[in-house]
Amino acid sequence: MTSLEKDPAGGTTTATRPILEARNVSLSFGSVRALRDVDVTVAAGEITALVGDNGAGKSTLVRCFSGVHKPQAGEILLDGEPVSFSTPEAARAAGIETVHQNLALVEDLTVWQNLFLNRELTRFGMLDRKRMRTEAQKMVAELAVNVPEVTARVRRLSGGQRQAVSICRAAGFSSRLVIMDEPTAALGVQETARVEQLILKLRDEGHAVLLISHNFDQVMRLSQQVWVMRAGRCVAGRRTDATTGQEIVGLITGAIPG
Amino acid sequence: MSTAATGTPAGTTALSKGSTPEPGDAPGRGRNPVVARLTDVGFWADWAALVGLVALVVVFTVLDPSFLSSGNVTGMLSASAALVILAVAQTFVVATAGIDLSIASVTTLGIVVLGQLYVADQPLWVCFVGAVLASLLAGLVNGLLVAKAKITDFVVTLGMLSAASGLALVLSDGQPVTVTEGFFFDISLDGPVEMVSWIVVIAVVVAVLAHVVLYHTRFGTHVLATGGSPEAATATGISTARVKVAVYAIAGLLAGIAAIIIVARLGSTPPAANTSYLLNSVAAVVLGGVSLFGGRASILGPVFGALLLTVLLNGLTTLGVSQYYQPLSVGVVVVAAAFLMRFQK
Ligand SMILES: Nc1ncnc2c1ncn2[C@@H]1O[C@H](COP(=O)(O)OP(=O)(O)O)[C@@H](O)[C@H]1O
Ligand SMILES: [Mg+2]
């Protein structure tokens, strides 16, 4: 099904133990078979890329990981243990944070409110606004991004600043796996470079990263492992250093069957 | 909308910019900050209700100095108490991008239940608890239908508007009950200080609690997130359905409290819904700068909005303007306020 046997370089076996694994995951929306028997692994300490054409099922797959969708068949393993997230809250509690494709920020709330959304700190049942502001400042400063004042409303931020806030939130709260769905799709050149630095920083700090991207250069630059999806199937997996951008393009379009 | 995102050409500088806009920024930055604020139409939009309230008080006092007599102020404050509470109730629902069209009818349901328990010789506290429970239950039904059955808020609360008024007529057989209990006179006429009756105190307490809930609890943040971006709220694990059930239930609960206050002021239990409470609660929310699209809300704004409407109606009456002009004036003020809100920051 995947290229496990077909790849002589042993490309699919990831170098370190998998933190997250999808086995035979399938999901349909009515007659649309968004995912068919998908097998994917994400290794600890690595950046794993997920590529594929629009509609290939990438977002749907990560939504299964982040508790938005529930697979209709197959299983998801976290550290080798089968898990079933019925809500995004459950996935977050297990250490899986997601930066969704449509930036999941509330524009009318401030940066610090967004960073702590549904993770609010309280004292005697009341919000500890002061502590959240200070902590938010720290979260932002630690990632060394020039994000604005944490008291600014998200509505006032640029696309890159918003993405930085989303990533900060995902990196915080001792998450183990950070999933990013096309984090640089809407960004300019400089903003993209900044976000890429952030992604590398996350990995260096020990987070596993699952990155969906349409930018092949980016995938080749950042990732250690690439999974290719086509029409709801995971058609191939390669170690990044054992493949080329050309091969990946061929696998995505189907020119190379995979 | 997102001016920063679209205003910067392809994000060339945005991330590397050292200085960034702050929440209170007015467009005319760099000039005298006070002048910049006062010439910024957004500032006036944010404080429309307070500015309008002060302007009305000044105008009415100039036209008739007895407007600010202690008797009239006492009357206006007492008259505003129920509307303040209903405006706060409406604010919670509107903050989640919903609307409660049934709020006046649900209040009337509470009034009628109070009256029926009263004629059945129940102790006063039973009458109160009954009224509040009846309204709370109606609000809860609204919330469950909107959040769980996923029927549009507009349709659900329009249905409840009809159902609750109908139920009120059935229960009361269309007859008001005269309430002669001394307690009611006491809370509507006496108070802790000059010009402030106990029902005004109740309204103030409700408003303060509402402010605390909205700004100082997790629930309040989740209310604003649910209205601002349901997708984002859901993605962080917030149950928007639960939040919606809660805000409609809160609206029902507050309608029940408003019912007690109305009975205390009138000394009777009118069985027909007073629709002006519905219109005025929405008007107060709009005047208070709360976004009907959800996500932006304050308690102070709608409270000032409710006071403004009460002052407007009272002032016109004092000046001897025909009753018939009152709904017209409310309509004009609300549409004008809604127009001003377009300039809100
Ligand atoms: N909530 C949904 N309801 C119905 N169909 C959906 C839904 N989400 C995704 N799909 C469909 O599933 C397929 C895969 O979509 P998606 O995962 O968003 O692809 P990708 O992220 O790879 O571009 C598409 O055909 C899309 O139309
Ligand atoms: Mg997608």
Side-chain angles (χ1 to χ4, degrees), chain A:
Chain A
M1 184 145 322
T2 63
S3 56
L4 265 171
E5 314 81 39
K6 289 178 199 161
D7 189 354
T12 50
T13 43
T14 42
T16 42
R17 76 195 158 78
I19 179 170
L20 186 77
E21 207 176 337
R23 281 192 196 155
N24 288 314
V25 166
S26 297
L27 180 62
S28 300
F29 298 105
S31 62
V32 180
R33 298 178 68 186
L35 298 175
R36 309 187 207 186
D37 300 319
V38 173
D39 289 322
V40 157
T41 59
V42 178
E46 285 193 353
I47 297 173
T48 303
L50 187 60
V51 298
D53 239 335
N54 278 331
K58 306 179 298 292
S59 295
T60 306
L61 180 63
V62 301
R63 287 195 196 110
C64 290
F65 294 152
S66 57
V68 178
H69 296 320
K70 222 175 143 118
Q72 286 151 349
E75 53 181 1
I76 294 170
L77 293 91
L78 186 67
D79 290 324
E81 298 290 322
V83 285
S84 173
F85 303 128
S86 47
T87 62
E89 179 61 44
R92 290 187 82 192
I96 300 178
E97 292 278 343
T98 309
V99 178
H100 287 279
Q101 189 165 11
N102 46 355
L103 302 159
L105 297 177
V106 183
E107 296 203 338
D108 286 318
L109 294 181
T110 62
V111 169
W112 70 264
Q113 283 176 312
N114 271 283
L115 285 174
F116 282 94
L117 195 54
N118 206 23
R119 284 282 187 283
E120 295 88 354
L121 306 176
T122 55
R123 260 181 96 208
F124 311 119
M126 297 282 129
L127 291 181
D128 194 345
R129 299 168 72 101
K130 202 171 147 206
R131 191 151 75 91
M132 282 191 278
R133 275 198 298 268
T134 330
E135 297 270 314
Q137 196 72 61
K138 263 191 247 163
M139 282 165 80
V140 162
E142 264 170 28
L143 283 161
V145 270
N146 264 335
V147 290
E149 286 296 309
V150 291
T151 51
R153 285 185 198 283
V154 166
R155 185 177 290 289
R156 294 176 155 263
L157 308 192
S158 72
Q161 288 174 316
R162 288 168 193 227
Q163 200 58 271
V165 172
S166 298
I167 296 174
C168 274
R169 179 168 70 188
F173 309 109
S174 58
S175 60
R176 307 174 53 215
L177 170 63
V178 177
I179 301 174
M180 299 191 209
D181 196 349
E182 306 197 22
T184 59
L187 304 186
V189 178
Q190 287 199 18
E191 290 187 318
T192 298
R194 292 239 172 204
V195 169
E196 286 186 9
Q197 283 171 16
L198 251 178
I199 295 172
L200 287 172
K201 185 145 196 230
L202 287 188
R203 183 198 55 191
D204 295 343
E205 284 174 357
H207 298 272
V209 176
L210 178 58
L211 171 70
I212 297 183
S213 178
H214 275 303
N215 181 334
F216 299 116
D217 289 339
Q218 184 175 69
V219 168
M220 299 309 285
R221 258 197 314 273
L222 300 181
S223 73
Q224 283 74 58
Q225 168 78 24
V226 189
W227 296 103
V228 182
M229 291 193 67
R230 195 193 314 141
R233 292 180 191 281
C234 180
V235 292
R238 297 281 188 276
R239 294 305 290 174
T240 308
D241 53 20
T243 184
T244 61
Q246 253 174 340
E247 187 189 19
I248 301 290
V249 174
L251 287 165
I252 289 172
T253 58
I256 305 174

Side-chain angles (χ1 to χ4, degrees), chain B residues 62 70 98 121 147-148 184 195 211 214 222 228 232 238 241 283 303 314:
Chain B
V62 168
S70 88
D121 279 331
K148 304 285 184 189
F184 282 108
M195 295 195 275
H211 178 91
L214 196 58
H222 295 184
I238 294 170
V303 167
N314 179 287

Side-chain angles (χ1 to χ4, degrees), chain B residues 231-256:
Chain B
E231 303 83 20
T234 308
T236 58
I238 294 170
S239 166
T240 56
R242 215 183 296 166
V243 170
K244 282 190 180 165
V245 173
V247 292
Y248 283 97
I250 288 173
L253 173 82
L254 294 180

Side-chain angles (χ1 to χ4, degrees), chain B residues 162-204:
Chain B
S162 186
S165 355
L167 191 58
L169 289 173
V170 170
L171 287 175
S172 63
D173 204 18
Q175 298 303 313
V177 170
T178 305
V179 179
T180 52
E181 190 74 33
F183 178 81
F184 282 108
F185 298 116
D186 292 347
I187 62 167
S188 65
L189 297 175
D190 293 347
V193 287
E194 184 78 3
M195 295 195 275
V196 177
S197 62
W198 286 113
I199 59 174
V200 173
V201 173
I202 296 174
V204 170

